[in-house]
Amino acid sequence: MHRFLDLADFSREEITGLIDLANRLERHPEPHALAGRILGLVFFNPSLRTLASFQAGMARLGGTSFVITPGQGTWQLETRLGAVMNGAAAEHVREGLPVLASYCDALGIRAFAEGRDLARDLAETQFGAMAGVIDKPLINLESAMNHPCQSLADWKTLDDLEVPRHGKFVLSWVQHPRALPLAVPAATVHMAAMRGMEVVVLRPEGYSLPPATMDKARAAAAAAGGSVRETADRDDALAGAQVLYAKEWGSTAHYGDAEGDASLRTSLGGWCVTPEWFDRAAAGCKFMHCLPVRRNVAVTDAVLDGPRSIVQREAYNRMTAQMAVLHRMLSHGV
Ligand code: CP
């Protein structure tokens, strides 16, 4: 495997093969599998899980890693093509990233959406430009519209808890003080569709996922025997649901317009998950969230601390799933 950028780049069998490998490494650790291998991690945006789970996973496989947070102890890196670099950034990614790649065997990059132009973010323009200057194996640590490591961990979590392959999976918009990127909702709807689930996107008006995102998920669902639809009707969405996956994202009707988005969300305080949301769900319905999450804004303490919540398992599986990716990417020829 040379690149891990999008679950859609892989067949269903390749993804389940990675999950099988993650399970095998959990049962039978291989503490020397990646001895001598180096992973570089570049974070243009903050992280807790992605950073720590990749470093821990690499160490558990016998490899090592370094972390670069541009502008924090290193030069600030310019990402804009054609920029006149007379501002804070001392170095361009077109020089900096190939330099970093030359020091390691694989590189991971986190670069969130620019959040100004939806078409540009949907095209992964910024991440694509960075990927284009790197000749080493590359991992997407979250780009404008994708978070494949989160999705692989979530798929594994669903399998771990024996959630039926064709079960009902509700991805629900929840509250946040400001607009957040579309990467996790876009990746999640695709992951659940690719797994073969009955996927319902529950969101208020103004927060529809982009048509291209829904089309991609519908194509994955068609291939896997599942389905994908959107609704603003909570009762309809959650009836019989086996999973409620909560996520915050910005208004697609006001993309790049913070004031427009803010005016919409002022009336959406009811979009905080409470125990009552599960009244019509299946008895064992699970609560998922990729974290970080704001308590009592997106979800109440009662749900997050209750038996339905599997957020800790999801976070733990970031490490186990990524170890499979690293093993597949780097173990050959050691
Ligand atoms: N879910 C996730 O990617 O967490 P971090 O932003 O903390 O890495």
Side-chain angles (χ1 to χ4, degrees):
M1 183 198 295
H2 191 65
R3 300 208 152 181
F4 189 72
L5 306 181
D6 183 346
L7 290 201
D9 295 337
F10 301 91
S11 68
R12 200 171 179 288
E13 290 67 33
E14 287 170 322
I15 296 298
T16 56
L18 277 172
I19 293 171
D20 289 346
L21 175 55
N23 290 332
R24 190 189 91 199
L25 292 171
E26 272 190 286
R27 285 193 306 272
H28 305 291
E30 296 185 19
H32 306 295
L34 299 188
R37 296 297 205 185
I38 300 172
L39 174 69
L41 297 164
V42 182
F43 285 89
F44 288 94
N45 311 97
S47 169
L48 186 147
R49 279 145 291 276
T50 307
L51 191 159
S53 59
F54 263 106
Q55 288 199 289
M58 198 63 188
R60 285 175 186 273
L61 290 168
T64 190
S65 55
F66 63 81
V67 177
I68 299 292
T69 309
Q72 295 181 32
T74 69
W75 304 117
Q76 195 158 318
L77 297 181
E78 178 61 74
T79 57
R80 294 170 300 161
L81 292 176
V84 177
M85 290 177 53
N86 56 4
E91 184 162 10
H92 202 281
V93 289
R94 292 183 65 78
E95 285 76 53
L97 290 178
V99 167
L100 293 172
S102 74
Y103 300 151
C104 59
D105 300 296
L107 197 67
I109 299 176
R110 166 168 283 195
F112 288 175
E114 295 167 299
R116 291 187 295 271
D117 178 343
L118 181 56
R120 186 176 156 83
D121 286 339
L122 281 167
E124 296 283 14
T125 307
Q126 179 175 251
F127 196 92
M130 290 196 266
V133 299
I134 295 164
D135 62 357
K136 290 285 175 65
L138 179 64
I139 302 173
N140 180 350
L141 307 182
E142 187 173 339
S143 61
M145 295 298 297
N146 223 316
H147 198 351
C149 297
Q150 183 67 51
S151 287
L152 185 65
D154 289 339
W155 187 324
K156 181 179 182 310
T157 304
L158 293 167
D159 287 0
D160 286 352
L161 295 167
E162 299 180 347
V163 174
R165 178 181 163 189
H166 297 299
K168 188 172 184 182
F169 182 101
V170 179
L171 168 67
S172 179
W173 185 90
V174 287
Q175 259 292 3
H176 192 276
R178 60 186 170 80
L180 293 189
L182 293 162
V184 171
T188 302
V189 71
H190 177 264
M191 175 279 295
M194 192 176 176
R195 192 173 180 266
M197 304 189 77
E198 177 192 348
V199 183
V200 182
V201 180
L202 171 63
R203 82 291 176 275
E205 298 306 330
Y207 291 85
S208 298
L209 293 181
T213 301
M214 294 297 285
D215 288 347
K216 178 180 170 184
R218 286 197 179 101
S227 61
V228 180
R229 66 182 174 92
E230 268 186 298
T231 180
D233 182 336
R234 188 179 303 159
D235 285 345
D236 166 45
L238 286 166
Q242 274 144 333
V243 177
L244 168 55
Y245 194 115
K247 186 67 189 88
E248 312 80 351
W249 66 87
S251 167
T252 44
H254 294 277
Y255 200 80
D257 168 14
E259 282 184 17
D261 181 287
S263 71
L264 267 188
R265 67 180 60 228
T266 50
S267 61
L268 300 175
W271 289 75
C272 174
V273 180
T274 64
E276 291 70 35
W277 280 45
F278 296 89
D279 285 352
R280 301 190 65 208
C285 183
K286 306 296 184 199
F287 175 81
M288 299 180 76
H289 191 287
C290 65
L291 304 180
V293 70
R294 289 177 182 244
R295 283 175 172 256
N296 305 310
V297 174
V299 53
T300 57
D301 291 338
V303 173
L304 208 46
D305 297 331
R308 296 186 186 281
S309 176
I310 56 172
V311 299
Q312 291 294 338
R313 182 84 197 175
E314 286 180 85
Y316 168 72
N317 273 333
R318 292 296 307 277
M319 183 180 72
T320 62
Q322 288 158 195
M323 284 171 69
V325 172
L326 292 167
H327 194 284
R328 190 60 52 84
M329 197 172 255
L330 294 174
S331 66
H332 299 296
V334 173

